[in-house]
Amino acid sequence: MIFRWSRRPAVALTALPVVLLALVGCASSEAAPSTGGGASSSTSAAGGGLLPAAEGATQYPLVLDTWAGQTELTERPERVAVIGFSPNLDALQALGATPVYTMGEETDWPWRDQGWLASIETVDTATREDPISFEAIAASDPDLIVAVNYVADEADFARLASIAPVLENAEQVRGDQISWQQTQRMVGEALDLSAASEQVISDAEAAVARTAAEHPELAGKTLTAATDYSDTGIAYYTVAGGTAERVVTQLGFAPNPRAQAFVDEPSVSDERLGELDADVLVVFYLDDAVRRAREATPLFQAVPAVADGRYVSIATGEPGSELTWVMRRGASALSLPWAVDVLADRASEVVTS
Amino acid sequence: MSLRHRGHRAAGASGGRASVVVRTRWASGRIDVRLGAVSGALGVLAVVVAVLALGVGDYPLAPARVLGALAGSGTGFERTVVVEWRLPVALAAVAFGALLGLGGAVFQSLTRNPLGSPDVIGFDAGAYTAVVVTVLVVGSTGYWATAAAALAGGLATAGVVYLLAHRGGLAGFRLVVVGIGVSAVLGSVNGYLVTRADVEDALTVGFWGAGSLSRLTWASVLPALALAACVALACAALVPAMRRLELGDDVAVALGTRVGRARLGLLVVGVASTALVTAAAGPIGFVALAAPQVARRLTRSPGVSPLSAAATGAALLSCAHLASLGTAQVFRPVPVGLITVCLGGTYMIALLVRETHRRGGALW
Amino acid sequence: MGGGRARRPRERGGHVLRRRRAGVAVALAALALAVLLSLAVGANPLPLGRVWEVLTHPDGSEASAVVWTERWPRTLVGVAAGAAFGVAGALVQALTRNPLADPGILGVNAGAGLAVTVGVALLGSATTGQYVWFAFAGAAAATVLVHLVGAGGRAAASPVTLVLAGVALGAVLGGVATFLTLIDPEVFRAVRSWGLGSVARTGVTDLVAVAPFLLAGLLVALALTGSLNALALGEESATSLGARVGLTRVLVVVAVTLLAGGGTALTGGLSFVGLMVPHVVRWSTGPDQRWVVAGSALAAPVLVLLADVLGRVVARPGEVQVGVLTAVVGAPVLIALARRRTASAL
C-alpha cells in the first residue's frame, strides 16, 4: 500500500559509519605517522650507523633456518625490527646495535638504556593486545626481523617472511626452557657480531660468578621463589629443572627437594602453604593489598621461613620486582647480572640477620 | 521464492505492505518492497564500509594507492598489504556477518523465539569447546582441522540441545532454557580448559576466543567463503519450508511440507553458518542474536527474514571491523567481537526502548 | 503459568503443608551436611576426626588454622552469597513472572562488575570492602535499567522482551568493562579475574561489612512475599486485595539490589544460582512465594557449597572457581526441570 521509508532507523544506520569515518579519517591519511596509536617516533639515529662495524666472520648470504620455514639474508642487515619478549631487545642493546622497530615494553626494565631506547625510530606501543602488528613492522622497512621464541604459527611466519628475513629458533622451545645464550649467539651471527656476542655472554657469566663468590653465606642454602596471584593462589616459581631454579643455583643455592613436587602443577594451595618452606622464601605480590592480606593469614605466618624472618617480599613496582620476569623468561646478558645481584643482596639480608 | 510475510495484516497496525510480484522461469512470488530496499541498502552499506576499511592500517597508503593496488597497479609490496593482508579480512567481515545473521534468522524462526539464537543456546560455545580441545589436545591450528572441529562441536551441541529439549514436540521455550543450560556448562568447560593450558597454547586459544578477524588469511577465508556460498544456497532453498513451518506443524504438513526433513535441513544450515565463522574467527557474539531482530524492526515485518538478517549482519560486522581498525589507530587494537557486542547490544537496547515506549504508559 | 495454582485445590492443603514442612526439613539437613563437607574437604587432607576435634576445641595447630581461618570464612561467604543470589532470583522471577529471570541473565551482575571496574579505575581500590559500594551502585543501576528497557510502560514485560533486554544490557556492560581493562591492563589486573566467581578471596571482615545489607535484603524479601502472592493473581486482583502494586515493585528492586549487589561484591557474581534454585524449590513447594523465598534462601547455599567443595577436589592441588562449577552442577538440574511439563509454571 503506502510505502513509507522510516527515517529514524535510516538516520541511525547512516550516522553510524559517518561517525566511524570521522574517527578513522584523521588517522589513516598519508601524512599521519606510520605506526600504531601510541607509537612514539624519533629519527635521531636514522640513516646509517645503526649497527657496530661488521666483524667479517659471518658469510652472507646467510640462510636462516627456523621451525616454521626458511629465509635468507643476502647481505648484512642494516635496519632490524625486534618483536617478542625483552631478551630479544636485550640481545641488541648488549651489542650496542640499534633496531628501527620494537614493541613497546610495559615495564621500565632497570637494565634498559633509556637513551638507546629513545634512539629507536618506532616503539610500537599499540601492539601489546594484538601480538604482531604486521603493517607497522612493514612500515618501518626492516631488512631483518628478530622474533626469537615468538612466532606462533606458520601463517604468521609466512607473513613476517614476506616483509623481511626472520630470525627464529630451529626448534620450538617451551617458555621456561629458553637459553638466553642461544638467543644472543643467533642475533650475533645474523648481524655479523659473533665475537662481540661471545664477549657479552662471557662477561655476563663472569658477573654472575662474581656475585656468587661475594656471597658465600648463600652457598648450599635452599630458596623458594613464588608469586601470589591473589585470586588464583600462589604459583611456585623455582620448580625443579625450571629457568628460575637455574637462576638461583648459579648463585650457589642448592636445589630445593620440595621443588620436585611442583613440576607438573606449580600451584600452592592456600591450605598447604608449609610446602613453600626453604632456607630463604621470596614471595612476589601483585600489590601491597595482596601482600597485607596474605601476611595476615595464620597459615602463612606459620611457614617456618616466615616465622623465622627468612622471608623476602617484593610487590609489583617496588625495587627488584622485575626479578619475577627474569626468573620466568626474561633472562639475558643484561638482565641476569642485575637479577642475581638484587636477589643475592635481599637473600643475604635475611640469612645473616 | 516468496519472501513475503504472511499474517502481517493481523500483526501490523499500518495495514498492508507494498510488495512486487516476481515471476521468473523457476520461481514466482512476491517480494516485499520495503524488505528488499532495506536489505539492499544494508548490503551496499556493508560493502562500502568494507572498501573504506581497506584504507585503514599501520602501513601508510593513500586512498588512491589502495584503489591502485586493488586494480593491480602499484608496487609489489603495496599489493601484498592491500590484497593479501587487508582484503581477506574486509571480505570476511562482510561474509561472516551475513552468515551470522543468516544463522540467527534460521534459528529464531525454527524456535519461534528471538532468544533461540546460536549464541544464546550454546552452539557457538560448543563449536568453541571443540576447537579449544583440538588446539590444546591435538595441537592442530590449520583451518580445515578447526573448521571440522567447530562444525562437529556445533552439530553435536545442537543435537544434544535438540534431544534434551524434545519431549513430545519441540517447545521454543524449553529449547531456550535447555540451550542456556548447555551453554553455561560449555562456557565453564571452556574457561577451565583455557586456564589450564600452557601459556603459549593459551595465547593462541585466548586470542581466537576474543573473536578477532585480524589474523585471517586467504588460506582460511577462501574455503570459508566457498562453504558460505553453499550454506546460503541451501538456506535459499529451504526458505519456503521455513515460512510454512512458522505457521505451525499442522499447517506445514497440510501445505505439503515434510516437517522432519525440513527442520533437520534448517538445523544443519543454521549450525553450519555459525560454525564456519567460529572456526575462522572465534566466537563473535551478538550478531546472530541482534541482526534478525534489528532487521525485523527495520523492515517492519512480523517475522524474521534470512535475507534482511544476512544484510544486517554483514553491515553490523563490517562497521565493527572498521571501528576495530579505527581504535587500533587511535589507541589500541580492540577485538572485533568486543565491538559487535557493544554496537549490536546498544542498538538492540535502543530498539527495545523505542518499542516499549510505543506500547505506551508511564515508566514504572 | 497457572498450572501450579490449578493443581492446588483447597482440600489438599494439609498434604501440601506436610510436603512443604518436609521440604524445609530436608533443605536444612542438606545445608548442615554441606557446611560440614565444606569444613572437612580441602587441599590439606585432614582426617574427619581431626576436623571435628579442632572444630570443637580450637588448639592453634595447623589443622585448626586450616579449618578456622581458611575453610570457615569461605563457607560463610558461600552461605551468604548463595542465599543472596537464590532469593534475588526468586524475587525477580516472581516480580517479572518470568521463569528465565535471574540477576545474571538480566545483567545485574554485569552492572556490578562494570561498576567495580570503574571504581578501580577511579580509586585504584583493591579490597572487597571498597568494591561493595560500587557493586551496589552498579547492581541498582542495572536492575532499574533493565526494567526500564524491558518492561517499559507496561505492568509486566513479556518474558522474552525482558530477557532480551537483560542479555543485551549484560553483554554491553560486560563489553564496556572489558574495553576499560584493555585501555590499561596494569591498573585492571586486580579486576581481571574478579568476574570468575569465587568464595575464596573474601575474608571475614569483608563479609561482616556486607552482611547487614544482605540481611536487610532478606528481610525485605520475606516481608514482600505476601504482596508478591497477591501480585501473582494479576495487577487488578492484587489491587482489589489491598496490595500496593507500585510500592511492592519498588521494594522488590531495592531487595534485589541489596542481595545481588552484596552477593556480587562478595564473590564477583555467581550466575545460574538465582536462575536455577527457585525452580527446584517451586517444584516441591508450589508457587506460594513465602515458601519459595524461604526455600531458596536455604537451598541456594547448599548448591554453592557443594559446587565449591567439588572445585577443591577436582583439580588438586589447584582449585576450580565455584562460579565455574555452579554452572556445571546447576545446568543439568535446570535442563531436567525444563523437560518436566510443569517446569515453567510460576
Side-chain angles (χ1 to χ4, degrees), chain B residues 130-229:
Chain B
V131 174
V132 172
V133 169
T134 314
V135 171
L136 295 185
V137 179
V138 186
S140 173
T141 53
Y143 176 75
W144 291 107
T146 42
L151 190 60
L155 276 174
T157 313
V160 167
V161 171
Y162 196 81
L163 281 178
L164 285 174
H166 197 86
R167 196 195 143 115
L170 189 74
F173 171 77
R174 204 185 302 132
L175 188 77
V176 173
V177 175
V178 170
I180 287 177
V182 168
S183 113
V185 172
L186 290 171
S188 309
V189 170
N190 292 342
Y192 179 71
L193 284 175
V194 172
T195 57
R196 302 293 296 167
D198 278 344
V199 177
E200 281 81 4
D201 283 343
L203 271 180
T204 311
V205 176
F207 183 85
W208 188 84
S212 171
L213 301 172
S214 68
R215 279 193 164 188
L216 290 175
T217 60
W218 282 118
S220 56
V221 171
L222 278 181
L225 286 179
L227 292 173

Side-chain angles (χ1 to χ4, degrees), chain C residues 277-336:
Chain C
V277 171
H279 280 280
V280 183
V281 171
R282 251 193 311 276
W283 170 38
S284 73
T285 65
D288 185 338
Q289 292 302 329
R290 289 170 298 176
W291 292 90
V292 173
V293 168
S296 298
L298 290 178
V302 177
L303 171 71
V304 172
L305 289 182
L306 291 183
D308 188 39
V309 168
L310 194 63
R312 298 179 218 172
V313 176
V314 288
R316 280 181 164 165
E319 282 194 10
V320 181
Q321 278 93 346
V322 61
V324 174
L325 280 165
T326 47
V328 175
V329 175
V333 182
L334 180 76
I335 291 170

Side-chain angles (χ1 to χ4, degrees), chain A residues 155-170:
Chain A
D156 281 356
F157 180 86
R159 202 167 267 201
L160 285 174
S162 74
I163 303 170
V166 184
L167 191 66
E168 239 285 13
N169 282 326

Side-chain angles (χ1 to χ4, degrees), chain A residues 4 6 9 34 133 135, chain B residues 34 58 86 196 215 298 300:
Chain A
R4 264 192 321 126
S6 160
S34 57
S133 174
E135 291 201 9
Chain B
R34 183 178 176 93
D58 282 342
R86 292 182 187 174
R196 302 293 296 167
R215 279 193 164 188
L298 285 178
R300 302 228 185 104

